[in-house]
Amino acid sequence: MIPDDLDRLVDKLDLESKVRLLTGATVWRTPAEPAIGLEPVVTSDGPAGVRGEGWNERRTSLSLPSATALAATWDESLAQSMGELLAVEARRKGVHVVLAPTLNLHRSPLAGRHFECYSEDPLLTGRIGAAVIRGIQSRGVAATAKHYVANDSETDRLTLDARVDERTLREVYLAPFEAAVQAGVWVVMSAYNGVNGVTMSENELLAEPLKGEWGFDGVVVSDWGAVRSAVASARAAQDLVMPGPDGPWGEALVAAVRAGEVPEPAIDDKVRRLLRLAARVGALPGFPAPSTTDPSAGDLTTPSALSPTAGNLTTPSALNPSTGGPTAGSVGERPDRAERLDRALLRRTVAASTVLLRNEGGLLPLSPVRLTRVAVIGPNAARPRIQGGGSAGVYPESLVTPLAGLRTALNGHAEVHHATGVALGGLPAPLDVAIARNPRTGEPGLLVRLLDAAGAEIHAEHRLTGRLPEPEGPIHRAATVEVRALVLPDRAGQWDVAAAGWGRLELTVDGRVVIDETVPRHTDDPATVHLAPPYRTERVTFEAGRQVEIVMRRELVPGGGRACVLAAAPAPADAAAELAAAVELAGSCDVAVVVVGTTEQAESEGVDRETLALPEGQDELVRAVAAANPATVVVVNSGGPVAMPWRKEAAAVLVSWFPGEEGGNGLADVLLGRAEPGGRLPTTWADRALAPTVPERGVLEYAEGPHIGYRGWLREQDSPAYWFGHGLGYTTWAYEGLWAPERVAPGRPVRVRVTLRNTGRRAGREVVQVYLARPQDHERPVRWLAGFAAVTAGPGEQVEAVVEVPARAFQHWAGAWRTAEGEVSVLAGRSAADLPLEAVITVSHS
């Protein structure tokens, strides 16, 4: 589409019609405009799967490994394939815009939304994020670079003012977004927070550098509820307010334009951008979408990108080539073959992202033929976390736990036994089909009813879970949500029953009221209001095998959303007995695999962590098991760093991240040597944080400047547990030579060559990392990542890694990008602290 075509459509609209297009029609859709043939543009959360419109566990999605896992692969090709998979899922669900990737940085390991962001380094984040964007948009689905900018913690995230100096902004926090624009991203999301005194939906950073210097021609959409003014935000480069239909623009913006407070050409530009997006995603029939070919992305249909082991993302049933939209009947289940290939790709990605931190004595990989009994221990072994908490969550159709993955893989070789070891406290689990039945139909699940003010039923539906962010039906007519289930306890004794929601809560067990309380709303954070209402819990006694009816009623109050939870779980068992059983099991087995991790209360949108320690006795569990069995493997199931005070006591330590639905199979592949643990840390792992996440009087000072993550640790007198970039494989490598040009002109990229040899007994993959340093420049970090490349080699084979170092890696910001002349050290190796090779480049015009 050429600009004149867009102008012609804009000219057909009056002011009211144009302004109406700039606020969402619903929570997830933009308005249609039949006068110009514009259809709604549908959005969906999407960093680790595409949920689609709304929250309904009956509409399942593929659950992908978390963003931290994807960054841990250091593999742009794999990241692009994950982006393509997100696009295919979006097509299946009728979605035009995927609200991903999240390009904020791991400024502090305490940040609660780590799992949704890639890394602590702007270069790694930018390259992986750009690859995901290319993958999503190669299929005519828009990617969204978010949250622009400095939205790097969750405490007071709606209102905090991030104070960041201009140089740090440019060199660190804006850099991944610049990479996204260079990759051709179609949507950028403005963040909730302010930067240097101005909330982002009104901030001049939307104009410069985003739309001006960088040339971004897409849509700036607000984070949901982030626009709080009519005039200031409209005068800024904010284009679209979400959600709708209510919002601060509407009639107030029309009046502001007519009063001369907002120029109408600014409104026209916003509408033009929205129409350009609609054309790109197929929501403006009659206008061909602009080409999505990216020469830098390569041929997206080559076998290397979409091999049978990677999953065939070009299945005809998923895409309609004529419109770029979903085919008739495609919103629903995937064809069997496509589902198998998708799951194979997810399984491969789990292995590629798993980081082997320690492997004393070569315990891993395990040999199945040498195993007779295997202990799988820990609270996350049978109930792992496959995704982080908050708006990015999806409902997987099925998931493979670490316990199930190992049992399948060792079937016919070894017995696999399980012990919990420690009972995590926290909140009881929502009821589900395992122990609950619908009292009206007898089906596994629950009955959800909407009641009017008189208590009469106006809607009823069968649901599969007691966690209901959005009960369906004519909610505008309802006064109360009721959730009812027949529960058959699988054990006698004390149980915790719980209800969650805002307003008045009532919970009855066999007609006896156990909770009756009014819960006032205490926050405006939408992640809390709509996804995580507070629990109220009571302990009751159940008899094994005796069915009870549990009923929750939740009053619907203005501003309180409609989220509600009905939960029940056995009270935590005796801690000493649980630990003793795990230790006894470990001592009787050939190997013990201990799976530990965080809880949803520790890692979730809307809340930062107060500590890096594992919750509730898990450190004690690891130490006790390792003492009982020297062949102990610890698997950490978390989205970000945790403290590991026992790390030198366990023979092997793996990080499996939040691995998505194929986590158990991918982990088994790594443990048994069917796949390499291909991951390298995208974030430094330490026992303490260097940067705070809690603002003081509303201000969060980025006082550390550009020295975040490994850059900050390089200035400390102490060392972290494991450095950025660290990760072992099942072979060993010798770094033998580094070549770099002796001289380079300012503003020119550099190609560095590193030779290395596989000195082990099996084939492997190594991620070669190149860092730059200017010791004479005290304002720069001690060193910074400048490029990386992966190589594979067989035993004894020598290979060469060619690492492209962009011109920007030599530059700093001083009102403009400058390149200082003089000597620059080039270091190569396998982590930010393991760099055995060094060369010197002189940057000079002569």
Side-chain angles (χ1 to χ4, degrees), residues 131-509:
V132 171
I133 289 165
R134 290 194 297 268
I136 294 172
Q137 294 187 173
S138 69
R139 304 308 171 93
V141 174
T144 305
K146 66 181 191 182
H147 309 86
Y148 186 85
V149 61
N151 184 210
D152 308 297
S153 57
E154 295 297 286
T155 304
D156 296 340
R157 64 178 181 146
L158 302 186
T159 57
L160 77 82
D161 179 24
R163 297 286 174 86
V164 196
D165 68 84
E166 186 179 10
R167 181 171 179 175
T168 299
L169 260 178
R170 285 286 192 152
E171 294 181 8
V172 180
Y173 296 100
L174 285 170
F177 291 94
E178 184 176 6
V181 174
Q182 291 171 347
V185 72
W186 294 342
V187 181
V188 170
M189 180 185 290
S190 59
Y192 288 121
N193 58 282
V195 172
N196 296 330
V198 183
T199 190
M200 277 310 305
S201 61
E202 302 170 12
N203 203 293
E204 62 183 10
L205 290 170
L206 298 178
E208 292 294 345
L210 180 60
K211 290 184 176 179
E213 178 188 327
W214 297 349
F216 174 64
D217 70 350
V219 169
V220 174
V221 64
S222 71
D223 204 339
W224 268 227
V227 174
R228 305 175 180 98
S229 67
V231 175
S233 59
R235 288 179 64 89
Q238 181 72 48
D239 297 318
L240 177 63
V241 173
M242 291 297 285
D246 299 320
W249 284 6
E251 293 180 3
L253 182 51
V254 171
V257 173
R258 290 191 169 137
E261 297 175 292
V262 178
E264 189 163 357
I267 302 299
D268 292 346
D269 179 68
K270 300 175 195 300
V271 174
R272 189 180 299 110
R273 289 170 178 272
L274 183 64
L275 296 179
R276 184 180 296 120
L277 172 64
R280 284 169 163 164
V281 300
L284 194 60
F287 287 90
S291 171
T292 60
T293 302
D294 179 356
S296 68
D299 181 356
L300 300 181
T301 60
T302 59
S304 61
L306 301 173
S307 68
T309 59
N312 180 7
L313 305 182
T314 57
T315 168
S317 61
L319 301 176
N320 181 340
S322 63
T323 66
T327 58
S330 68
V331 178
E333 300 304 319
R334 297 180 303 281
D336 288 345
R337 178 175 179 274
E339 182 171 358
R340 289 196 303 273
L341 293 172
D342 292 343
R343 293 180 73 93
L345 173 59
L346 296 179
R347 181 172 180 165
R348 183 165 70 91
T349 304
V350 172
S353 67
T354 300
V355 182
L356 179 59
L357 296 179
R358 175 179 170 87
N359 193 20
E360 288 300 295
L363 174 61
L364 296 179
L366 303 172
S367 173
V369 298
R370 297 180 180 178
L371 298 174
T372 56
R373 282 174 55 88
V374 174
V376 180
I377 296 168
N380 291 47
R383 296 183 67 91
R385 292 194 70 196
I386 64 170
Q387 59 189 340
S391 61
V394 299
Y395 296 100
E397 185 170 346
S398 61
L399 67 92
V400 182
T401 69
L403 177 61
L406 274 170
R407 278 181 169 158
T408 299
L410 290 173
N411 185 31
H413 295 283
E415 298 176 0
V416 177
H417 300 273
H418 174 242
T420 301
V422 59
L424 296 182
L427 304 175
L431 288 174
D432 59 23
V433 295
I435 62 170
R437 289 190 301 114
N438 183 324
R440 182 169 291 177
T441 66
E443 300 173 85
L446 304 91
L447 173 65
V448 178
R449 301 197 303 154
L450 300 184
L451 310 177
D452 65 16
E457 179 182 302
I458 56 176
H459 176 78
E461 61 179 342
H462 178 75
R463 300 298 293 261
L464 307 178
T465 175
R467 182 175 182 265
L468 299 158
E470 292 180 344
E472 297 190 340
I475 200 77
H476 62 284
R477 294 168 44 205
T480 302
V481 177
E482 180 190 270
V483 185
R484 185 182 293 262
L486 297 175
V487 176
L488 188 65
D490 56 2
R491 69 184 73 175
Q494 298 288 298
W495 280 60
D496 290 330
V497 295
W502 306 101
R504 185 179 176 188
L505 285 178
E506 182 184 86
L507 182 68
T508 64
V509 177

Side-chain angles (χ1 to χ4, degrees), residues 733-776:
W733 298 87
Y735 280 74
E736 298 182 339
L738 168 64
W739 179 90
E742 294 182 358
R743 190 174 300 274
V744 63
R748 303 285 296 181
V750 169
R751 179 170 290 174
V752 174
R753 300 179 183 276
V754 181
T755 55
L756 60 163
R757 187 181 303 276
N758 182 344
T759 56
R761 297 182 177 181
R762 60 180 281 167
R765 173 181 180 267
E766 177 75 335
V767 178
V768 179
Q769 302 163 42
V770 170
Y771 295 77
L772 299 184
R774 294 183 69 100
Q776 68 277 18

